[in-house]
Amino acid sequence: MLPPDSSIEGVLEQPGGTCSILYTLDPIESITKRITDPRFGAIATFIGTTRNSFQGKVVTKLEYQAYTKLALKTISRIVDDARTQTPDFQAIVQHRIGVVPVGEPSIVIAVSAPHRKEAFQTCEFILEEVKRKAQIWKREYYEGEDESEAEWKSNV
Amino acid sequence: MSSSPSEHITILYFAAASTTLGITSETIPIPPQAHPFYLSQLKDLLVERHTQLKGQSVGQTLRRILDTSQWSIDAEMVDDGDDEEKLGRIEVRNGMEVGVICPVSGG
């Protein structure tokens, strides 16, 4: 089955925060370079990678789809929410769509902030909220099972 | 006052909803006899429609999915989607893009 027409690449840029949904993530070095800021002394990054097993079953691949225009709005608003705790930071959030082979990154969050505590906390806050709210879905395919039976997962 | 003959909405299906139905979107007419048409009525409409098109089993699976999903309208979430009373006050109008938002699994 083809993915939804609304599951497309997209970027939403705001001052201090860029959110993207992409088939391929940018290299981490280029991401951290973009948020490097002489005012800030810390950069925290999170990379989520796809695992090869789930409850004893071997995962052969994962597939992500998004309601991109809404997911980008949601992620941007999460970045805005983070500013109520830490007003000064820069963030880049990238989420992948399409087939993601096992062991590859599916999400990158990079945050630069004045100090390490703010950088870690903001990065974690964005991650937890994205997992809770962003209109993105993951499908896991298991070895030995028909592809049509592959489950769509839920973070709940 | 009845609706004009060509009032339609677009439904977007993702994840389990799209896999169950075998489609990722459809444009359906707002029932002309149900005007105004409210979001609280949409679940039954879609289940009935797909039961007729694809059978009981698909219809029942769709109902189970819709029971645990939220709605979006024109790329904005409908908050308090569990509140039937609230859904009963949200009118679904010609040209709206309604999303079936199953439990998410990003990150």
Side-chain angles (χ1 to χ4, degrees):
Chain A
M1 233 181 105
L2 290 178
D5 287 345
S6 47
S7 183
I8 50 174
E9 292 194 305
V11 182
L12 184 43
E13 272 188 53
Q14 292 182 155
T18 302
C19 308
S20 311
I21 288 176
L22 304 163
Y23 290 119
T24 314
L25 304 184
D26 291 334
I28 190 70
E29 304 80 19
S30 84
I31 291 173
T32 54
K33 201 164 173 186
R34 272 148 49 198
I35 54 165
T36 297
D37 188 318
R39 297 173 295 153
F40 298 157
I43 295 173
T45 62
F46 174 81
I47 299 171
T49 56
T50 56
R51 286 189 288 167
N52 62 5
S53 71
F54 176 75
Q55 292 183 348
K57 295 193 276 192
V58 175
V59 176
T60 55
K61 66 178 178 184
L62 291 96
E63 187 189 337
Y64 288 89
Q65 65 180 228
Y67 184 8
T68 299
K69 77 180 147 175
L70 180 49
L72 286 175
K73 276 199 270 191
T74 300
I75 298 171
S76 277
R77 286 171 186 160
I78 290 167
V79 173
D80 287 344
D81 284 349
R83 282 191 205 286
T84 62
Q85 295 169 41
T86 301
D88 287 323
F89 67 84
Q90 286 204 55
I92 288 177
V93 182
Q94 296 191 348
H95 202 298
R96 204 159 155 187
I97 49 168
V99 173
V100 181
V102 160
E104 290 196 22
S106 53
I107 184 172
V108 175
I109 299 169
V111 174
S112 62
H115 305 288
R116 63 190 184 280
K117 188 165 173 185
E118 296 139 318
F120 278 131
Q121 280 180 352
T122 304
C123 189
E124 184 173 24
F125 175 83
I126 293 171
L127 172 63
E128 296 302 327
E129 289 288 275
V130 166
K131 288 180 80 74
R132 192 165 73 87
K133 294 183 191 165
Q135 290 80 6
I136 299 172
W137 296 271
K138 172 173 85 172
R139 193 178 194 188
E140 274 184 359
Y141 293 81
Y142 303 119
E143 194 174 68
E145 291 184 12
D146 201 87
E147 293 217 333
S148 62
E149 304 292 308
E151 288 175 28
W152 288 97
K153 310 296 291 189
S154 163
N155 285 344
V156 159
Chain B
M1 189 174 151
S2 62
S3 62
S4 73
S6 56
E7 291 205 353
H8 290 80
I9 54 174
T10 299
I11 315 290
L12 301 183
Y13 298 106
F14 300 92
S18 71
T19 305
T20 296
L21 297 179
I23 57 172
T24 59
S25 70
E26 61 179 347
T27 299
I28 63 171
I30 298 175
Q33 71 278 12
H35 202 263
F37 186 72
Y38 294 103
L39 195 53
S40 55
Q41 299 169 275
L42 187 54
K43 186 191 311 189
D44 284 344
L45 181 71
L46 294 179
V47 170
E48 229 175 86
R49 173 184 171 82
H50 289 285
T51 299
Q52 281 191 29
L53 288 173
K54 300 178 180 87
Q56 277 278 12
S57 172
V58 169
Q60 279 171 9
T61 304
L62 178 62
R63 182 175 289 285
R64 276 202 302 275
I65 290 168
L66 293 177
D67 282 344
T68 60
S69 298
Q70 295 183 283
W71 301 108
S72 67
I73 293 181
D74 292 340
E76 286 290 347
M77 291 304 289
V78 173
D79 288 329
D80 307 317
D82 303 330
D83 186 345
E84 277 300 311
E85 224 191 277
K86 175 165 178 175
L87 297 188
R89 295 194 297 270
I90 298 174
E91 199 185 331
V92 177
R93 290 197 209 92
N94 186 43
M96 279 182 170
E97 176 177 284
V98 179
V100 174
I101 311 295
C102 320
V104 298
S105 46

